[in-house]
Amino acid sequence: GKMAAAAERGGSPSLSAGEEEPPLGLDSLVEEVAAAAPSAGFRLTAVRREPAVRLQHGVSGLEPLAWSEDHRVSVSTARSIAVLEQLSDVHSGGQEMVIHRTAVPAPSAACHLKVGPKKEVAECKEKFASSVDPTVSQAFMLDRVFNPEGKSLPPLRGFKYSSWSPLGCDANGRCLLAALTMDNRLTIHANLNRLQWVQLVDLTEIYGERLYEASYKLSKADAPRGELGDFSEFQRRHSMQTPVRMEWSGICTTQQVKHNNECRDVGSVLLAVLFENGNMAVWQFQLPFLGKESITSCNTIDSGINSPSVLSWWEYEHNNRKMSGLIVGSAFGPVKILPVNLKAVKGYFTLRQPVVLWQEMDQLPVHSIKCIPLYHPYQKCSCSLVVAARGAYVFWCLLLISKAGLNVHNSHVTGLHSLPIVSMTADKQNGTVYTCSSDGKVRQLIPIFTDVALKFEHQLIKLSEVFGSVRTHGIAVSPCGAYLAVVTTEGMTNGLHPVNKNYQVQFVTLKTFEEAAAQLLESSVQNLFRQVDLTDLVRWKILKDKHIPQFLQEALDKKIESCGSTYFWRFKLFLLRILYQSMQKAPSEVMWKPSHEDAKILISDSPGMGSTEDDQEEGTSKQASKQSLCDPGKGMDIDDTADDSLPQSSDVGGREPMEEKLLEIQAHIEAVEMHLTREHMKRVLGEVYLHTWITENTSIPTRGVCDFLMSDDGYDDRTARVLIGHILKKMNKQTFPEHCSLCKEILPFTDRKQAVCSNGHIWLRCFLTYQSCQSLVYRRCLLHDSIARHPTPEDPEWIKRLLQGPCTFCDSPVF
């Protein structure tokens, strides 16, 4: 649907493929020029977004940037992978992006591929190094795969490539990171707590062991190869396990048969690894991925491509049948799709034989491939758009399955860049592709369907207009297409190269606030956490303007009235909390300094207190100066700050409406939180009713929740009443109260957030089950909105399922 809309918007007068071309007169020439220029519907205004994040080391490898579905940007550098996590923090009033920074360090020991028994390998290396034949000795000494720690060459440090899994693969339901070091070690990492990354498995080591056990033959029928002492065999054993790239598939479902012959569906994910000799290993992992024990299988396929350089998954849905395959590109130019047979994966099919997308050995290396699923508005079916960066050109191929079989349209887009493309990224939601060359020029390519195939509208984003003179090393687009992350270093000044290079990750907006708001309102995923890049644009706008735009408020209220989804309530809560932050006066004293005057009280602490006149004046002037310090080049006009729509005058009278406004917003926030709590309570009670015979003590304070829901006379919800009636009938007169673990008193259920016993002991309540958390350890949601208890072994399945849910206020995961 989006593509059809795009096709309508881009109504430029260019000819579609079916029409007759008129003879070239002056009119048609003017028309051609008009067609080449991007139409007004696609005008893109790129605005700089603070902060720029300085990297400690230079970037390394190809395509050093990747942006995960859970809003983390990974940057491959010479010592570690820097990970920048974007948060949409409702508790901070600063206008910059909120970025949480961690790193995956490179292993300290060099990686030696397993090509045989240690002693024999050492002898062979000695023999090749001292060989009289220079073709052997030189080839051996200068090959970094054989000599990763260098000896006479500098040691290989850093990362070649990193790749994010889809959302829902680690123990917290977030993304895993596959990392490939310069010396060919392929590992998988997870970030299970807030700060540290853990290596879960070393695939290079496991694959080496497997090859060793199979005596380096891929199938039983393989002819026996030579001895390790032959230089060609020594090279072959290394190249069959030197990874070039690795990519994750989407999550698929497999069936597992339990002991009692029941089948249960288990999620699994595949990781395809492309090796130097053209082999591909397809690993299958059971989810959640915990380590070595989660590996279910590993199959090796021969791609038949010489000098393979890049790969990507082809995943296509046709009549509810899922097709899959691997697209492989070569350093010499060819691109093809290879069939992948997935054992034990439900509903997956593959091609009968490889499909060649481009066969010319034209020496244009393929170094990036993206596969984007789209909907064809004319053929009324789904299709796949494959784009590949080849030198300075973009090769594209449209794949479509019809009654006649697989249709393949392909072509090149030329004239985009004067230098080779160094990085390419795609917005999977609408098919927009971004390419960049090292001179700071980024092209946005928008696919527009024609009757037969498609064409691209493209326009230039000059990063020099946003950041000044820069060189670019990589780009990545955020999951919902709101931001572009760019790795830059200083460009030339007055025709001279910079003396030192400072690598930094900078952000550019690709959408306007209106577009982001519209996308959030029409969202199909209905989850705020999965759209953090969009909510961040909205947050920025509200903090800048200090009010929620009228059109957004009205549209949201309409949505809340017309549909019962709690997503829109959570969106409303988000907007109100940001508005509350924007109204907060910046504290006039630095927070950590001891206060000399006890009389000073922050508004946020006690909204009821007034303050003296000069105190008020000092506060505003400091705030203004602080704002001008924080916001250099923020794209804010001077008028914006001067003309705030809210009273910030120095007279005491001006203070009152502000306070009332804050109290009013706070009351709104309370009301929306209460609505969300009640909706979740109904869900919990529904689960209780379904899963218990008599509602025995299931660690959910059922009676307390029922009483809490019925306690407010103003709350009249028929479903809640009926449900509670059924539950109370089931419970008869039993109450199952919760007891305080310190003094054994009963814990009454008077507050949704905490439980206070008669002796004054306070326990926080788990927002997923409403049980009081009486242990020292519990989990928190990402934005520290609420807390949840850990599942215990004796919890039934349905409670464990409840405890896996995201935060009921902000949709963020809990850990």
Side-chain angles (χ1 to χ4, degrees), residues 353-371:
Q353 68 261 352
V355 175
V356 177
L357 305 183
W358 184 254
Q359 60 184 16
E360 303 295 322
M361 297 280 271
D362 49 19
Q363 308 300 317
L364 281 179
V366 184
H367 83 83
S368 179
I369 294 178
K370 298 278 180 263
C371 180

Side-chain angles (χ1 to χ4, degrees), residues 384-396:
S384 292
L385 173 62
V386 175
V387 280
R390 300 178 70 242
Y393 311 119
V394 170
F395 165 74
W396 64 265

Side-chain angles (χ1 to χ4, degrees), residues 678 709-717 721:
R678 284 174 175 152
L709 273 178
M710 304 312 286
S711 61
D712 184 2
D713 299 329
Y715 176 64
D716 186 34
D717 184 329
R721 282 182 190 283

Side-chain angles (χ1 to χ4, degrees), residues 60-206:
S60 63
L62 292 161
E63 295 281 343
L65 268 191
W67 204 319
S68 75
E69 285 177 26
D70 62 356
H71 306 280
R72 294 186 281 198
V73 182
S74 63
V75 196
S76 307
T77 75
R79 293 287 183 279
S80 64
I81 293 179
V83 182
L84 315 174
E85 179 170 3
Q86 184 191 1
L87 300 175
S88 191
D89 195 353
V90 288
H91 308 297
S92 93
Q95 286 188 21
E96 285 101 356
M97 252 174 165
V98 181
I99 289 174
H100 181 238
R101 188 169 174 165
T102 48
V104 183
S108 48
C111 169
H112 293 273
L113 301 175
K114 189 173 178 71
V115 289
K118 262 198 175 135
K119 190 167 171 234
E120 195 186 333
V121 172
E123 285 166 8
C124 289
K125 284 190 167 183
E126 193 57 48
K127 177 181 135 188
F128 299 140
S130 55
S131 167
V132 286
D133 182 354
T135 57
V136 174
S137 60
Q138 297 228 351
F140 173 78
M141 292 303 285
L142 293 173
D143 195 309
R144 300 315 301 263
V145 180
F146 307 150
N147 299 302
E149 73 276 355
K151 300 286 190 288
S152 54
L153 303 164
L156 268 182
R157 296 292 300 271
F159 287 87
K160 200 189 285 190
Y161 190 64
S162 67
S163 171
W164 290 100
S165 78
L167 198 61
C169 291
D170 76 358
N172 292 323
R174 302 191 69 187
C175 302
L176 295 162
L177 181 64
L180 177 60
T181 60
M182 282 292 194
D183 59 2
N184 303 307
R185 190 192 300 269
L186 174 57
T187 49
I188 296 178
H189 302 259
N191 171 217
L192 297 173
N193 57 21
R194 292 298 301 269
L195 300 172
Q196 130 209 42
W197 286 83
V198 183
Q199 180 182 310
L200 298 178
V201 69
D202 181 338
L203 291 180
T204 296
E205 191 186 326
I206 297 171

Side-chain angles (χ1 to χ4, degrees), residues 251-507:
I251 291 178
C252 40
T253 316
T254 51
Q255 275 194 339
Q256 196 180 49
V257 182
K258 298 200 311 207
H259 298 301
N260 56 1
N261 275 349
E262 260 184 48
C263 279
R264 76 181 187 118
D265 283 355
V266 179
S268 67
V269 70
L270 305 163
L271 180 70
V273 186
L274 179 64
F275 295 105
E276 217 172 56
N277 69 342
N279 285 349
M280 288 184 300
V282 180
W283 296 87
Q284 187 173 6
F285 305 126
Q286 193 174 318
L287 299 180
F289 183 78
L290 304 168
K292 210 169 176 176
E293 66 274 18
S294 303
I295 298 173
T296 36
S297 67
C298 174
N299 299 317
T300 305
I301 308 165
D302 181 20
S303 72
I305 277 195
N306 298 330
S307 300
S309 57
V310 58
L311 93 158
S312 174
W313 279 92
W314 176 62
E315 289 172 322
Y316 183 90
E317 214 164 306
H318 172 65
N319 292 347
N320 297 331
R321 289 166 57 129
K322 292 191 175 107
M323 305 281 287
S324 73
L326 282 165
I327 311 167
V328 182
S330 156
F332 297 136
V335 181
K336 66 178 177 180
I337 302 183
L338 295 150
V340 179
N341 281 313
L342 305 181
K343 295 189 183 77
V345 179
K346 283 198 328 193
Y348 269 80
F349 298 85
T350 190
L351 304 160
R352 289 201 187 92
Q353 68 261 352
V355 175
V356 177
L357 305 183
W358 184 254
Q359 60 184 16
E360 303 295 322
M361 297 280 271
D362 49 19
Q363 308 300 317
L364 281 179
V366 184
H367 83 83
S368 179
I369 294 178
K370 298 278 180 263
C371 180
I372 307 157
L374 293 174
Y375 179 76
H376 201 304
Y378 299 115
Q379 307 286 339
K380 303 269 185 292
C381 67
S382 54
C383 57
S384 292
L385 173 62
V386 175
V387 280
R390 300 178 70 242
Y393 311 119
V394 170
F395 165 74
W396 64 265
C397 183
L398 187 69
L399 298 158
L400 189 112
I401 293 176
S402 66
K403 292 189 177 73
L406 182 68
N407 295 339
V408 180
H409 295 273
N410 64 13
S411 181
H412 281 80
V413 186
T414 57
L416 297 173
H417 296 278
S418 51
L419 290 171
I421 293 168
V422 290
S423 185
M424 180 171 79
T425 179
D427 177 357
K428 289 277 170 75
Q429 293 198 333
N430 58 10
T432 309
V433 177
Y434 298 88
T435 58
C436 99
S437 52
S438 59
D439 55 3
K441 293 195 171 110
V442 175
R443 283 273 178 187
Q444 180 194 40
L445 295 158
I446 298 166
I448 291 167
F449 284 97
T450 58
D451 303 345
V452 184
L454 51 79
K455 58 177 184 179
F456 284 94
E457 286 231 343
H458 52 84
Q459 60 178 324
L460 182 64
I461 307 169
K462 273 193 184 159
L463 293 178
S464 56
E465 290 170 6
V466 188
F467 304 128
S469 169
V470 287
R471 282 181 73 88
T472 36
H473 304 270
I475 54 172
V477 68
S478 66
C480 301
Y483 289 117
L484 187 72
V486 193
V487 178
T488 62
T489 49
E490 294 84 349
M492 291 174 76
T493 44
N494 305 330
L496 295 171
H497 286 285
V499 183
N500 357 354
K501 276 186 179 179
N502 292 310
Y503 286 89
Q504 35 184 3
V505 180
Q506 311 214 49
F507 297 93

Side-chain angles (χ1 to χ4, degrees), residues 440-732:
K441 293 195 171 110
V442 175
R443 283 273 178 187
Q444 180 194 40
L445 295 158
I446 298 166
I448 291 167
F449 284 97
T450 58
D451 303 345
V452 184
L454 51 79
K455 58 177 184 179
F456 284 94
E457 286 231 343
H458 52 84
Q459 60 178 324
L460 182 64
I461 307 169
K462 273 193 184 159
L463 293 178
S464 56
E465 290 170 6
V466 188
F467 304 128
S469 169
V470 287
R471 282 181 73 88
T472 36
H473 304 270
I475 54 172
V477 68
S478 66
C480 301
Y483 289 117
L484 187 72
V486 193
V487 178
T488 62
T489 49
E490 294 84 349
M492 291 174 76
T493 44
N494 305 330
L496 295 171
H497 286 285
V499 183
N500 357 354
K501 276 186 179 179
N502 292 310
Y503 286 89
Q504 35 184 3
V505 180
Q506 311 214 49
F507 297 93
V508 177
T509 62
L510 295 175
K511 284 189 157 68
T512 60
F513 159 74
E514 288 76 15
E515 287 172 311
Q519 204 169 325
L520 283 164
L521 286 169
E522 298 304 325
S523 157
S524 56
V525 289
Q526 301 229 331
N527 179 307
L528 291 174
F529 170 70
R530 295 199 36 198
Q531 307 176 82
V532 162
D533 48 341
L534 297 174
T535 59
D536 186 71
L537 272 179
V538 173
R539 173 180 163 270
W540 187 24
K541 171 82 171 172
I542 294 172
L543 287 173
K544 237 171 17 180
D545 296 358
K546 297 189 176 357
H547 72 94
I548 301 169
Q550 193 62 36
F551 86 91
L552 179 55
Q553 260 175 333
E554 286 168 8
L556 191 54
D557 290 340
K558 206 175 267 176
K559 286 277 186 195
I560 285 174
E561 273 171 40
S562 65
C563 100
S565 165
T566 53
Y567 164 72
F568 297 110
W569 285 91
R570 290 194 296 276
F571 189 17
K572 185 174 184 172
L573 176 64
F574 169 78
L575 296 177
L576 287 168
R577 284 168 158 182
I578 300 300
L579 182 63
Y580 187 77
Q581 285 301 334
S582 73
M583 302 273 179
Q584 294 280 25
K585 195 159 74 81
S588 51
E589 291 280 306
V590 184
M591 292 299 220
W592 47 264
K593 276 191 184 164
S595 145
H596 300 301
E597 305 158 49
D598 297 332
K600 269 195 182 170
I601 296 173
L602 295 177
I603 299 187
S604 61
D605 293 344
S606 80
M609 292 287 289
S611 77
T612 59
E613 196 166 322
D614 43 52
D615 184 40
Q616 165 67 20
E617 201 157 24
E618 180 202 32
T620 32
S621 64
K622 281 214 180 169
Q623 182 191 11
S625 65
K626 187 173 172 192
Q627 221 167 17
S628 59
L629 279 173
C630 299
D631 300 353
K634 184 69 69 64
M636 281 184 67
D637 298 338
I638 310 296
D639 324 344
D640 272 15
T641 39
D643 178 60
D644 271 341
S645 52
L646 288 151
Q648 273 195 341
S649 55
S650 55
D651 57 322
V652 187
R655 184 70 172 273
E656 294 309 319
M658 182 62 146
E659 300 233 322
E660 276 172 26
K661 189 102 178 160
L662 278 172
L663 286 170
E664 191 188 320
I665 297 169
Q666 224 165 355
H668 270 311
I669 289 174
E670 276 295 308
V672 177
E673 280 187 1
M674 195 54 156
H675 174 84
L676 287 167
T677 303
R678 284 174 175 152
E679 288 301 304
H680 185 66
M681 280 180 170
K682 275 161 45 182
R683 195 182 143 215
V684 173
L685 289 177
E687 293 282 335
V688 170
Y689 181 68
L690 283 177
H691 290 99
T692 50
W693 292 111
I694 63 144
T695 337
E696 73 275 9
N697 196 1
T698 57
S699 82
I700 286 184
T702 312
R703 171 76 69 170
V705 173
C706 291
D707 293 348
F708 181 79
L709 273 178
M710 304 312 286
S711 61
D712 184 2
D713 299 329
Y715 176 64
D716 186 34
D717 184 329
R718 192 161 172 275
T719 18
R721 282 182 190 283
V722 171
L723 183 61
I724 289 168
H726 283 313
I727 286 176
L728 294 184
K729 199 182 284 176
K730 217 183 204 187
M731 283 178 76
N732 209 347

